[in-house]
């Protein structure tokens, strides 16, 4: 094949976080450090994320002040929430640029959004000291966070240490913490721990989680919710 084809394929794989471009070629990336772009992750496991989102919106009441973290599962939750009656009069604090854009695009301005500011990550999240300082000055009823991986018995992890720190800051100002994650995250590994199991009130995942992992997680967290993915997939079809 041509050199141009090779360069194009390498660029595409690098965008997906599957390898790292270097002078003269490419090298493999560690699964501990790689993180696909938001545009890539948003196309993955859509049915699972929709099922999780439908369960999560039940934890929001009209007029609530909530926080929504970065990542595509949190983004799908925001989509479902803004289409529901529970979003009436709510205020959303977020470090997710896509979530903020969702609110801004609403025809009805019944929802207020506060954006943290900060440094932009590959997942289109705003992190770092600026974000953490804004978050620390506020208070929310509930924070909804995604996660890159779930490690038993350690907890919830992110590949980006700055993003992990900002998630921790959001947890510090919330009365309740809810983690939204599909069952595939139990087989992933990441670098930075942002929450132990005993720091999380509810974990919402899908019923594709294997029984052993579900039983161990249920013993470690206050509440484990298994969303029925089949119903959402049928509706999307």
């Amino acid at each position: 094949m041509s050199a141009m084809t090779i360069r194009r394929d390498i660029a595409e794989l690098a965008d997906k976080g599957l390898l790292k471009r270097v002078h003269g070629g490419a090298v493999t990336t560690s699964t501990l450090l790689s993180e696909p772009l938001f545009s890539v992750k948003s196309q993955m496991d859509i049915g699972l994320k929709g099922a999780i989102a439908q369960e999560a919106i039940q934890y929001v009441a009209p007029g609530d002040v909530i926080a929504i973290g970065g990542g595509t599962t949190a983004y799908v939750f925001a989509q479902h929430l803004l289409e529901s009656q529970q979003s009436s009069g709510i205020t959303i604090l977020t470090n997710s640029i896509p979530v903020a854009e969702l609110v801004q695009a609403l025809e009805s301005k019944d929802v207020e959004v506060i954006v943290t500011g900060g440094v932009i990550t590959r997942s289109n999240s705003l992190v770092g000291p600026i974000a953490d300082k804004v978050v620390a000055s506020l208070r929310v009823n509930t924070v909804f966070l995604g996660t890159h991986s779930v490690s038993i018995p350690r907890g919830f992890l992110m590949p980006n240490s700055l993003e992990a720190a900002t998630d921790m800051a959001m947890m510090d100002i919330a009365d309740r913490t809810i983690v939204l994650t599909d069952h595939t995250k139990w087989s992933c590994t990441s670098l930075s721990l942002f929450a132990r199991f005993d720091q999380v009130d509810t974990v919402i995942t899908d019923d594709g989680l294997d029984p052993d992992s579900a039983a161990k997680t249920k013993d470690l967290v206050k509440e484990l919710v298994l969303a029925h993915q089949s119903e959402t997939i049928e509706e999307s079809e």
Side-chain angles (χ1 to χ4, degrees), residues 6-22 25-29 33-40 122:
I6 294 171
R7 284 195 293 269
R8 185 186 65 232
D9 290 347
I10 286 176
E12 182 178 342
L13 291 169
D15 285 343
K16 293 180 179 179
L18 300 176
L19 52 75
K20 180 180 179 181
R21 298 177 70 178
V22 296
V27 296
T28 59
T29 55
L33 300 177
S34 62
E35 181 180 13
L37 293 169
F38 183 91
S39 58
V40 175
R122 287 174 61 86

Side-chain angles (χ1 to χ4, degrees), residues 52-68 74 77-93 111-112 140-145 176 178 180 202 204:
I52 292 165
Q54 283 298 116
E55 289 289 342
I57 62 176
Q58 300 177 40
Y59 290 79
V60 182
D64 271 356
V65 179
I66 67 171
I68 300 177
F77 160 67
Q79 287 180 310
H80 284 257
L81 175 61
L82 294 173
E83 293 170 357
S84 72
Q85 294 183 349
Q86 281 97 318
S87 66
S88 176
I90 67 171
T91 298
I92 298 174
L93 167 67
V111 179
E112 183 178 356
V140 299
N141 302 123
T142 307
V143 59
F144 296 87
L145 298 172
R176 177 174 60 179
I178 297 178
L180 313 175
T202 302
I204 304 178

Side-chain angles (χ1 to χ4, degrees), residues 15 58 75 80 103 156 181 194 235:
D15 285 343
Q58 300 177 40
Y75 175 77
H80 284 257
V103 179
F156 306 91
T181 180
F194 70 87
E235 289 174 5

Side-chain angles (χ1 to χ4, degrees), residues 184-199:
T184 64
K185 300 304 191 298
W186 271 257
S187 60
C188 298
T189 306
S190 295
L191 184 66
S192 300
L193 184 76
F194 70 87
R196 302 186 311 271
F197 282 99
D198 61 0
Q199 294 176 299

Side-chain angles (χ1 to χ4, degrees), residues 143-230:
V143 59
F144 296 87
L145 298 172
T147 183
H148 188 266
S149 63
V150 182
S151 175
I152 297 174
R154 291 186 66 203
F156 306 91
L157 302 99
M158 287 289 187
N160 186 319
S161 60
L162 289 178
E163 189 163 8
T166 299
D167 283 350
M168 293 169 66
M170 286 190 174
M171 290 172 58
D172 285 342
I173 66 161
D175 297 327
R176 177 174 60 179
T177 297
I178 297 178
V179 172
L180 313 175
T181 180
D182 67 76
H183 74 273
T184 64
K185 300 304 191 298
W186 271 257
S187 60
C188 298
T189 306
S190 295
L191 184 66
S192 300
L193 184 76
F194 70 87
R196 302 186 311 271
F197 282 99
D198 61 0
Q199 294 176 299
V200 172
D201 296 284
T202 302
V203 174
I204 304 178
T205 187
D206 61 89
D207 56 6
L209 184 63
D210 68 90
D212 182 58
S213 295
K216 290 178 179 177
T217 302
K218 195 170 184 178
D219 288 340
L220 292 167
V221 76
K222 297 173 185 176
E223 181 185 28
L224 175 66
V225 177
L226 301 178
H228 299 294
Q229 53 176 304
S230 57

